[in-house]
Amino acid sequence: MLERLPNEIVLRIARNLSQEDKTALTYVSKKIYQSIIPSLYQNLYLNERYYFPSDLDNSFGTHKWSVLYFKYLRERNEEDPKFDQRKMSKLKFQCLVRSLKESPTKLCPLIQSVHCTWHLDENIMTEFIDLLITYDDNLTIFDNFVRDKISNQLVQHEATLQTLTLPPPKILPLEEQADITYYKRMRTLWNSYHLNQIKKLNIHVNACKFFNKMNPPLNIQTLCLNLRPDTVEADTVDTIKYSDIFNPTSLKELEILSWYNESDPDIDLYQLWNLREFFTFKNLENLSLFSLFSNMDFLKDCIMNFDHLKRLKVDFMFEVSVDKSVIDLMAIAPCHETLEYLDIKFTELTNPLLSIEEGDEDTSQFIIDMTCQCDNCKDTLTRIIQGKYFPTKESFLIKDFKDVEKRNFILQMFKLYPIVPYSHYFDIYPTIGFYSRPIEELTKSVNYLLGYDKVKDAINYITNEDMIKLYHAYIHALKKTLDYFIIRFPNLKYLTFNELPTQIIQYDEQQKCNIPIFHYHNYKSNQVYELVNDESLFD
């Protein structure tokens, strides 16, 4: 049947399929292979950590991007201690380059976009870029890297590139200010590009001190600012405004990433880097703030100035939660109608499922508050939480942090042995397991902490299913908080709450609910109810 479809229709179908499904289709026939291969090579996501697909929808991310596909490997593999994640990544990257070398004129021109993660093998990357320079006239995007060697190579492809990265002096900030030779290299790089065709700019310099006033301003659509202590001064005397460099009406996406650390809490980065000037960029739709010192007033000003905001990600340093007053303000601001994606840290609106109560004389204890009374949560409480984690009164007592590590199952799932991967946007980019582990690894680690042996303690032994039920019970405990966001933001599609990614679905004509993007299997929401109407009473 597929073979009868025009090539354009097959490509349109492929845009909605996962990488696994597209790969499987290449084995159907030679004709389908030739139709599908372009969609597999068009957008490459080069990752040095393993791909962690969603069990809710395995097309998330890979409907557009093709990853270096490999599964989780322990940092120290029992069968081969020398074979770890990065070596597997290197092998997969080598395989990609080998395939390109075997058919360079056929495969290389298919590549239009490349997205990197930072620690890919430099030698293989050099080979890869050389192939693109020689054989690929269609490359328009190459981004998310920090090495100047890559920027220097890509200059040879400036005729088609719509992305430009001005890399840092070193990956990590220097103790002193960058020297004049660094800025000379960056200006040479900057002047080598057709600036009127650049749509995405990633810079590690202070734009207000590095650039000259542009006339007219650049029509950049996406801007990533890296705030670094070693490039804040740049090498010019005059300071200009962001609006003198970038056209405020063109910018749609702004990402601000701080490279300052906990030793610099007294520095006002918002003033030092003139960040409030962006309030004149009224057409901004996507805003991401990473590792900045928390500033709720700045965040409120963002909300009141960016009326068309669709995506907001806030990850303050020290994991500071966003104030409820900020969300309440956003709920009445114009952007409450446009917001589709929200990723924040936020304090739960009800007592948490598991908390720690400080007692007298330096004694502390765990407190369990199971507000959900559904059958699944009741079973989880009695059989797993009380039966396995806290089987005695003494197990509730906390003597030191080892007790917290041993029995705080929420801390275990999201911090110690996280079971949720990372993606900049779960619906757009592939989900990568930078620090996350499969559920089996969490289970193994938890049983070790609790001192359970699979044979001797069969009754108490924590299973994979137990951990999933705890995960689902944690989501149920967030019911009031999740409903709070659903009610206030009518077009919200994705909510990542305290590193828990959820999708918001329309359950029926009147009800919506959050469902987990990962470990979704067998999840039943407690946010919806079976509606009864007059006719159903007589069924």
Side-chain angles (χ1 to χ4, degrees):
M1 178 65 181
L2 276 174
E3 293 179 339
R4 299 178 182 178
L5 296 175
N7 188 55
E8 294 79 9
I9 300 298
V10 175
L11 282 175
R12 186 173 297 180
I13 293 173
R15 292 192 192 105
N16 298 301
L17 298 177
S18 69
Q19 181 174 340
E20 299 98 313
D21 292 338
K22 285 183 280 192
T23 302
L25 281 176
T26 62
Y27 293 98
V28 171
S29 68
K30 185 175 181 180
K31 184 178 185 300
I32 297 300
Y33 171 88
Q34 292 173 340
S35 298
I36 293 293
I37 279 295
S39 68
L40 281 169
Y41 279 87
Q42 182 177 358
N43 304 300
L44 299 182
Y45 190 105
L46 305 179
N47 48 298
E48 85 276 0
R49 295 297 173 124
Y50 76 108
Y51 169 56
F52 192 137
S54 162
D55 59 336
L56 171 63
D57 184 348
N58 69 348
S59 70
F60 277 146
T62 59
H63 70 289
K64 174 181 178 180
W65 299 93
S66 295
V67 298
L68 299 176
Y69 202 105
F70 56 96
K71 296 187 177 181
Y72 175 81
L73 287 172
R74 291 187 186 180
E75 291 303 311
R76 293 187 177 181
N77 190 277
E78 294 175 354
E79 296 179 1
D80 185 355
K82 296 181 179 179
F83 202 70
D84 59 15
Q85 295 282 321
R86 289 186 179 173
K87 289 188 177 180
M88 176 58 83
S89 169
K90 180 177 179 179
L91 175 62
K92 290 291 183 176
F93 199 4
Q94 285 175 327
C95 290
L96 170 63
V97 170
R98 183 186 64 198
S99 297
L100 296 176
K101 284 183 175 179
E102 289 174 353
S103 303
T105 57
K106 175 184 176 182
L107 296 180
C108 289
L110 299 178
I111 302 173
Q112 297 179 18
S113 304
V114 178
H115 184 97
C116 306
T117 50
W118 289 354
H119 302 291
L120 292 159
D121 185 273
E122 291 187 59
N123 294 328
I124 305 175
M125 179 63 79
T126 298
E127 288 186 75
F128 175 69
I129 295 176
D130 283 342
L131 284 167
L132 299 185
I133 291 169
T134 306
Y135 298 103
D136 187 4
D137 293 330
N138 299 312
L139 183 68
T140 58
I141 296 172
F142 201 111
D143 67 359
N144 199 52
F145 57 87
V146 290
R147 300 185 187 278
D148 57 359
K149 185 177 181 180
I150 295 177
S151 285
N152 294 336
Q153 276 187 278
L154 289 174
V155 169
Q156 300 176 67
H157 224 302
E158 52 80 26
T160 64
L161 281 175
Q162 297 174 5
T163 56
L164 172 58
T165 294
L166 298 182
K170 296 289 182 182
I171 292 181
L172 296 178
L174 305 170
E175 291 185 4
E176 66 281 350
Q177 287 294 305
D179 59 27
I180 192 170
T181 58
Y182 165 73
Y183 292 109
K184 185 176 181 180
R185 294 200 314 273
M186 292 305 101
R187 284 199 167 80
T188 300
L189 179 63
W190 175 254
N191 292 326
S192 299
Y193 276 79
H194 297 286
L195 300 180
N196 59 347
Q197 72 183 26
I198 299 298
K199 295 181 179 179
K200 183 173 184 179
L201 182 63
N202 186 335
I203 58 175
H204 292 257
V205 297
N206 187 338
C208 295
K209 294 187 177 182
F210 176 83
F211 295 109
N212 295 316
K213 188 172 183 178
M214 308 292 291
N215 190 16
L218 298 175
N219 291 318
I220 301 294
Q221 295 178 5
T222 301
L223 177 62
C224 179
L225 293 182
N226 291 269
L227 314 185
R228 296 173 58 102
D230 56 348
T231 60
V232 64
E233 295 301 331
D235 62 342
T236 60
V237 177
D238 296 331
T239 300
I240 58 177
K241 295 181 179 180
Y242 289 110
S243 57
D244 292 329
I245 312 165
F246 312 114
N247 186 344
T249 62
S250 299
L251 192 68
K252 302 292 184 183
E253 183 170 0
L254 175 62
E255 178 179 320
I256 303 175
L257 171 62
S258 168
W259 291 73
Y260 288 78
N261 58 44
E262 61 275 4
S263 65
D264 306 310
D266 297 329
I267 298 176
D268 186 349
L269 297 182
Y270 301 87
Q271 181 177 353
L272 182 64
W273 289 83
N274 308 312
L275 299 184
R276 290 177 178 83
E277 290 180 8
F278 282 109
F279 296 151
T280 62
F281 289 64
K282 297 296 185 179
N283 292 333
L284 203 67
E285 296 179 355
N286 300 348
L287 176 63
S288 301
L289 306 176
F290 296 115
S291 297
L292 287 160
F293 299 117
S294 63
N295 187 317
M296 301 304 159
D297 289 336
F298 176 82
L299 198 51
K300 288 179 179 179
D301 287 338
C302 288
I303 289 164
M304 296 310 296
N305 280 282
F306 303 141
D307 292 351
H308 309 290
L309 206 58
K310 292 182 179 179
R311 294 174 182 262
L312 176 62
K313 288 174 68 81
V314 181
D315 188 4
F316 286 133
M317 192 178 288
F318 311 122
E319 299 192 347
V320 174
S321 295
V322 172
D323 288 350
K324 184 175 180 293
S325 61
V326 175
I327 306 301
D328 288 340
L329 177 65
M330 187 157 59
I332 60 174
C335 66
H336 89 279
E337 290 281 357
T338 59
L339 194 68
E340 298 177 357
Y341 194 113
L342 181 60
D343 184 343
I344 60 167
K345 304 284 194 308
F346 187 75
T347 302
E348 299 171 33
L349 297 179
T350 54
N351 292 335
L353 173 59
L354 182 66
S355 60
I356 296 175
E357 182 182 74
E358 299 289 341
D360 298 330
E361 298 180 0
D362 298 326
T363 60
S364 302
Q365 64 177 352
F366 288 103
I367 300 295
I368 299 170
D369 190 351
M370 181 68 80
T371 55
C372 180
Q373 295 300 308
C374 75
D375 291 341
N376 285 335
C377 284
K378 287 179 180 178
D379 176 69
T380 301
L381 175 63
T382 56
R383 189 175 58 81
I384 305 172
I385 298 178
Q386 295 175 338
K388 298 184 178 184
Y389 268 90
F390 301 97
T392 66
K393 289 184 178 180
E394 289 73 19
S395 59
F396 283 88
L397 300 178
I398 301 173
K399 301 172 185 176
D400 53 36
F401 190 69
K402 288 184 179 179
D403 291 325
V404 178
E405 289 181 318
K406 182 188 298 186
R407 302 193 189 276
N408 190 329
F409 49 84
I410 298 174
L411 179 74
Q412 291 167 349
M413 288 188 290
F414 290 96
K415 296 298 179 185
L416 297 180
Y417 316 104
I419 56 174
V420 175
Y422 174 80
S423 175
H424 187 51
Y425 294 125
F426 286 98
D427 58 328
I428 297 177
Y429 293 99
T431 48
I432 304 299
F434 288 103
Y435 302 105
S436 60
R437 305 181 180 192
I439 196 76
E440 297 80 9
E441 293 296 318
L442 167 63
T443 301
K444 192 178 300 181
S445 299
V446 166
N447 280 300
Y448 173 78
L449 289 174
L450 291 170
Y452 293 155
D453 182 272
K454 193 171 185 178
V455 177
K456 295 180 181 178
D457 304 287
I459 296 177
N460 292 330
Y461 195 83
I462 305 286
T463 66
N464 296 339
E465 291 74 21
D466 291 340
M467 297 309 305
I468 295 296
K469 287 180 74 69
L470 285 169
Y471 180 76
H472 290 175
Y474 170 67
I475 301 173
H476 276 206
L478 298 174
K479 177 183 183 300
K480 183 176 180 179
T481 306
L482 299 178
D483 286 343
Y484 168 84
F485 286 95
I486 287 179
I487 293 169
R488 284 158 179 78
F489 304 102
N491 292 305
L492 194 62
K493 298 177 181 178
Y494 297 93
L495 172 64
T496 297
F497 174 85
N498 295 347
E499 301 179 12
L500 169 70
T502 67
Q503 182 177 4
I504 297 171
I505 63 168
Q506 189 75 43
Y507 180 76
D508 56 31
E509 291 183 0
Q510 300 180 40
Q511 301 181 98
K512 293 181 179 181
C513 66
N514 299 71
I515 53 176
I517 292 177
F518 298 93
H519 312 295
Y520 163 76
H521 188 61
N522 290 331
Y523 181 75
K524 294 181 179 179
S525 176
N526 65 340
Q527 295 174 262
V528 294
Y529 304 92
E530 183 178 352
L531 300 180
V532 178
N533 55 39
D534 293 341
E535 294 180 2
S536 67
L537 292 173
F538 300 95
D539 290 342

